[in-house]
């Protein structure tokens, strides 16, 4: 290890080079070996020797690069992109999810970000200022500590929507991530994060993992969607039967179904419920669809 370098992960796995100078390597095959991650670099060691890649040279993480069938059959791998995507290394560690979070933490924890929290609370824009902050990537969340002492936790399984755009940040135009999630009280909030473009791009890839966890392809009935839209509009769960003209027992069955599908969170029995990120996302889409049909 070099001075100031700390080992983070040391595991077995497989790896290959998918793109070299912008060209797909259709003949590439997986190499089995050791994958070493530190706070400075990633080392891939196989029978043909070892290769070292600096973490600060990684432009982006993510995407599928199925250059041949051997690659396509591996469901979980990390695509490390260098040189604006001209060179891509695929890494498939044995303990994939743990290594994935360790890698994101190593890439992001040393970066100084600018944060607005809450930028939006309960649908209302807040007059909060941008302030410096640091990120820590944990097993199931991204934690943000600001210079003023504010602590923000964005749980990856509670991300609703993510938007990217350029905003004025301290009198400069910067890329900003707008992530919708819940605070510790269960209120829907939006946190804005900005910083160096490379770090913002990598953070977006991480948050997209959480966003995908909340997306659903459920075949919801019209009544399911009506319940979600009513809750989204602020109707109390106890008022749903009267609001929608549905029998109380039938509403209870709908609540149970939506809880089982992880669209509602149960607060207490008999059934008080609240929308989670997945439910908010579905309800918002349903409202948009209804508006488009009118």
């Amino acid at each position: 290890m070099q001075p100031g370098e700390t080992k983070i992960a040391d595991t077995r796995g497989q790896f290959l080079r998918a793109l070299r100078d912008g060209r797909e390597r259709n003949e590439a095959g997986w190499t089995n070996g050791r994958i070493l991650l530190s706070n400075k670099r990633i080392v891939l060691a196989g029978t043909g020797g070892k290769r070292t890649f600096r973490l600060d040279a990684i432009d982006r993480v993510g995407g599928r690069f199925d250059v041949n069938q051997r690659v396509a059959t591996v469901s979980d791998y990390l695509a490390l992109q260098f040189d604006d995507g001209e060179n891509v290394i695929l890494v498939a560690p044995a303990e994939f999810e743990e290594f994935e979070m360790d890698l994101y933490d190593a890439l992001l924890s040393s970066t100084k970000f600018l944060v607005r929290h809450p930028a939006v609370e309960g649908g209302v824009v807040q007059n909060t200022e941008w302030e410096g902050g640091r990120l820590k990537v944990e097993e199931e969340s991204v934690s943000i500590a600001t210079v003023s002492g504010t602590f923000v936790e964005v749980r990856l399984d509670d991300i609703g929507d993510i938007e990217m755009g350029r905003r004025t940040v301290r009198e400069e135009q910067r890329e900003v991530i707008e992530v919708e999630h819940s605070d510790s009280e269960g209120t829907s909030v939006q946190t804005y994060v900005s910083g160096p473009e490379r770090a913002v791009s990598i953070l977006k890839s991480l948050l997209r993992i959480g966003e995908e966890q909340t997306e659903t392809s459920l075949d919801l009935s019209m009544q399911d969607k009506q319940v979600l839209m009513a809750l989204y509009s602020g109707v109390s769960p106890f008022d749903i039967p009267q609001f929608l003209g549905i029998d109380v027992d039938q509403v209870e069955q709908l609540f149970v179904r939506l809880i089982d599908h992880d669209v509602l969170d149960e607060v207490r029995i008999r059934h008080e419920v609240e929308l989670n990120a997945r439910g908010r996302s579905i309800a918002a889409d349903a409202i948009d669809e209804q508006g488009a049909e009118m």
Side-chain angles (χ1 to χ4, degrees):
M1 290 289 169
Q2 302 169 354
E5 187 175 14
T6 304
K7 183 170 73 173
I8 297 172
D10 188 351
T11 186
R12 306 292 297 180
Q14 52 187 356
F15 38 85
L16 63 81
R17 187 164 192 164
L19 266 68
R20 185 195 298 271
D21 299 327
R23 295 187 178 184
E24 292 187 355
R25 299 185 66 238
N26 298 320
E27 79 291 351
W30 291 104
T31 296
N32 295 317
R34 179 184 176 191
I35 303 171
L36 175 67
L37 174 67
S38 78
N39 62 327
K40 302 283 188 182
R41 56 187 173 151
I42 184 169
V43 180
L44 308 177
T47 55
K50 69 178 183 180
R51 297 202 62 186
T52 299
F53 302 91
R54 298 190 337 270
L55 295 187
D56 61 10
I58 297 174
D59 298 322
R60 186 179 173 195
V61 179
R64 294 291 299 187
F65 291 85
D66 295 337
V67 293
N68 57 44
Q69 189 59 34
R70 292 187 297 276
V71 175
T73 56
V74 176
S75 59
D76 292 330
Y77 63 70
L78 292 163
L80 310 182
Q81 302 184 39
F82 304 83
D83 307 315
D84 294 326
E86 290 292 300
N87 292 284
V88 178
I89 305 296
L90 307 184
V91 181
E95 296 84 19
F96 177 80
E97 292 182 359
E98 181 179 350
F99 186 91
E100 181 180 42
M101 294 300 105
D102 285 340
L103 175 63
Y104 275 113
D105 188 55
L107 289 167
L108 295 171
S109 61
S110 63
T111 303
K112 294 180 181 179
F113 288 93
L114 291 172
V115 182
R116 272 191 65 196
H117 175 82
V120 179
E121 183 174 11
V124 180
V125 176
Q126 304 295 301
N127 190 29
T128 49
E129 298 292 334
W130 289 97
E131 57 179 326
R134 297 275 192 176
L135 303 184
K136 180 170 179 54
V137 180
E138 301 180 286
E139 184 178 352
E140 298 179 347
S141 65
V142 176
S143 300
I144 307 172
T146 70
V147 294
S148 67
T150 301
F151 178 79
V152 184
E153 182 182 40
V154 181
R155 299 196 312 276
L156 293 177
D157 64 353
D158 185 50
I159 292 176
D161 291 312
I162 297 172
E163 298 289 341
M164 288 288 298
R166 297 193 72 83
R167 286 182 173 268
T168 301
V169 181
R170 292 184 173 177
E171 300 182 352
E172 292 183 18
Q173 286 291 306
R174 291 172 173 260
E175 281 291 320
V176 174
I177 300 175
E178 304 172 5
V179 55
E180 190 269 336
H181 60 105
S182 300
D183 65 11
S184 58
E185 304 295 323
T187 303
S188 174
V189 298
Q190 289 184 29
T191 299
Y192 293 176
V193 183
S194 187
E197 288 197 13
R198 168 185 169 274
V200 168
S201 176
I202 292 172
L203 176 59
K204 181 182 71 172
S205 297
L206 169 60
L207 296 176
R208 290 289 187 201
I209 296 172
E211 185 185 40
E212 289 169 4
Q213 291 176 7
T214 66
E215 290 179 349
T216 179
S217 58
L218 292 175
D219 183 16
L220 296 180
S221 69
M222 180 54 67
Q223 281 190 335
D224 291 331
K225 292 181 180 180
Q226 287 175 339
V227 168
L228 294 179
M229 287 188 288
L231 291 170
Y232 190 80
S233 302
V235 178
S236 165
F238 300 110
D239 294 332
I240 292 291
Q242 182 178 359
F243 184 79
L244 296 180
I246 303 174
D247 181 79
V248 172
D249 289 337
Q250 188 176 359
V251 171
E252 286 288 309
Q253 293 173 4
L254 290 170
F255 283 165
V256 170
R257 166 181 159 80
L258 295 171
I259 290 168
D260 288 343
H261 285 301
D262 196 26
V263 173
L264 295 179
D265 290 330
E266 186 172 61
V267 179
R268 65 174 180 264
I269 303 176
R270 165 177 177 146
H271 272 109
E272 182 180 355
V273 295
E274 63 183 11
L275 285 171
N276 55 28
R278 195 182 196 189
R280 290 194 299 272
S281 180
I282 296 170
D285 289 343
I287 290 172
D288 288 343
E289 290 172 4
Q290 190 177 66
E293 292 173 357
M294 294 178 64

